[in-house]
Amino acid sequence: MRSKAHRPRRSCLAVPGSNTRFLEKAQGLPADQVFLDLEDAVSPLAKESARKNIVHALNTGDWGTKIRAVRVNDWTTRWTYRDVIEVVEGAGQELDCVMLPKVQSADQVVALDLLLTQIETTMGYEVGRIGIEAQIENPRGLINVDAIAASSPRVETIIFGPADFMASINMRSLVVGEQPPGYDVGDAYHYTLMRILTAARAHDKQAIDGPYVQVRDLEGYRRVAGRSAALGFDGKWVLHPDQIEAANQIFAPAQSDYDHAENILDAYAYYTSETGGAKGAVMLGDEMIDEASRKMAHVIAGKGRAAGMTRQDVWRAPLSRQSQEN
Ligand code: GLV
Ligand code: MG
């Protein structure tokens, strides 16, 4: 069985908890994950009713196989504890993860972990089942990202929040996820993305890229998503139904890469076995493969399997000596 923490999250759909029409509509969309928002997509005056909408939508909706998360407000606000208590007591059995925004330190994750444990215990839920998704959206969070990723076994993902991050470092741009005008010597987000990805991988967590807010510019979305996908990110937020298909495609491997990865795994398993001659480095077509190739292939094959891909080109082991002799 696929581990809970590594469920596919190619597309993570943001759904404002104050909008009952979106809460209904999101259920039928082909995103891998939804997160029902209590934070920045909900106005302060609507926070309390949004909690109720979310509990209702989780308890009565048909979310299929989608991962269901709720984004609570960050610990510097006055809403966080009630967000968690109301939503988890009200619909904890229907919830996979709580997303914590603007995380600044490992302690903030630990605080959420402890609160979740108390609610799970009180309600008779399985303790530890609900995961945590940590958003990195400010300099302090980025500096502490390693400790944040290691802070609790509940942590499943580390998420880059470009909009808040851009604001918090005073980046001179208003277009979320796009390069700031005037910076013409590379990718202004490379360090941040790589830092998050490295921390996530060091602790076996998923790395998720945040929103691209020009929702009518699908080409722009594809370009920006393609960059984090190429680095190794597992998925990206989607704010609009049109972005979902793009994310599902971009964060899954190409069919030829998927087939190739599965073939490397099969061929390597065969050639390193006794029947295959117990070899180390071997030729697969024109390519030499070894243990490092197996590890790389394992990553691509894993992403393809998670995306439900099927092989179209299957490598076959040469006939064994015994069957050749018969
Ligand atoms: C998302 O929360 C962001 O700030 O980009
Ligand atoms: Mg944010």
Side-chain angles (χ1 to χ4, degrees):
M1 211 178 81
R2 195 183 295 148
S3 104
K4 179 168 87 73
H6 290 87
R7 297 174 279 199
R9 282 184 168 94
R10 296 165 302 171
S11 48
C12 308
L13 177 66
V15 188
S18 49
N19 190 320
T20 50
R21 194 169 61 82
F22 285 179
L23 285 168
E24 183 77 33
K25 185 172 175 202
Q27 296 172 30
L29 296 174
D32 287 340
Q33 163 166 20
V34 288
F35 74 87
L36 314 183
D37 198 11
L38 285 170
E39 204 221 14
D40 284 357
V42 176
S43 84
L45 293 179
K47 302 271 187 207
E48 290 188 14
S49 56
R51 290 180 191 138
K52 293 186 174 44
N53 296 340
I54 286 176
V55 168
H56 180 75
L58 286 171
N59 283 331
T60 61
D62 177 5
W63 298 92
T65 57
K66 285 191 252 305
I67 300 173
R68 297 149 304 173
V70 170
R71 180 166 73 164
V72 297
N73 289 279
D74 83 273
W75 279 124
T76 65
T77 69
R78 61 195 166 84
W79 295 296
T80 322
Y81 78 106
R82 276 198 189 278
D83 288 346
V84 178
I85 292 168
E86 261 196 54
V87 168
V88 180
E89 282 195 353
Q93 305 277 42
E94 304 299 327
L95 186 65
D96 296 300
C97 287
V98 173
M99 188 184 291
L100 188 62
K102 301 179 180 65
V103 178
Q104 304 195 44
S105 65
D107 296 355
Q108 294 191 331
V109 177
V110 172
L112 176 58
D113 182 329
L114 293 172
L115 183 54
L116 285 171
T117 298
Q118 293 210 334
I119 301 171
E120 286 167 336
T121 307
T122 304
M123 299 300 291
Y125 301 158
E126 180 188 337
V127 173
R129 190 192 59 80
I130 296 175
I132 293 178
E133 304 203 49
Q135 267 192 287
I136 301 299
E137 315 195 72
N138 52 47
R140 204 170 281 276
L142 191 64
I143 286 168
N144 291 325
V145 65
D146 186 49
I148 289 167
S151 59
S152 158
R154 291 186 193 263
V155 175
E156 297 191 16
T157 67
I158 306 293
I159 304 167
F160 177 43
D164 276 298
F165 193 81
M166 290 164 78
S168 68
I169 62 166
N170 293 3
M171 190 181 269
R172 206 179 51 192
S173 170
L174 285 171
V175 187
V176 177
E178 285 293 355
Q179 302 300 315
Y183 190 74
D184 60 358
V185 289
D187 178 358
Y189 304 99
H190 180 74
Y191 168 74
T192 312
L193 289 172
M194 207 53 164
R195 186 87 185 77
I196 288 173
L197 178 62
T198 309
R201 292 288 175 257
H203 299 285
D204 197 24
K205 313 296 180 188
Q206 288 185 324
I208 306 295
D209 193 9
Y212 184 79
V213 302
Q214 309 295 113
V215 293
R216 309 236 174 273
D217 180 3
L218 210 50
E219 270 322 295
Y221 182 86
R222 289 185 159 278
R223 187 168 21 82
V224 172
R227 289 185 195 135
S228 50
L231 282 181
F233 272 64
D234 298 282
K236 183 169 174 64
W237 281 15
V238 290
L239 304 180
H240 189 273
D242 289 348
Q243 294 180 337
I244 298 176
E245 213 39 67
N248 287 349
Q249 192 200 345
I250 290 165
F251 287 93
Q255 183 68 45
S256 56
D257 289 341
Y258 172 65
D259 289 342
H260 188 49
E262 293 284 15
N263 288 344
I264 289 175
L265 292 179
D266 285 356
Y268 189 70
Y270 171 77
Y271 285 117
T272 50
S273 74
E274 198 142 356
T275 333
K279 298 181 183 127
V282 291
M283 291 303 285
L284 175 65
D286 292 338
E287 173 187 26
M288 179 161 291
I289 59 169
D290 64 5
E291 178 57 22
S293 323
R294 186 196 64 76
K295 289 192 181 115
M296 291 168 74
H298 183 70
V299 171
I300 306 287
K303 288 194 178 197
R305 288 176 206 168
M309 295 175 78
T310 49
R311 294 171 75 168
Q312 289 178 8
D313 168 27
V314 180
W315 178 84
R316 304 245 173 255
L319 291 175
S320 70
R321 238 174 279 137
Q322 199 183 7
S323 55
Q324 279 169 350
E325 281 161 11
N326 290 340

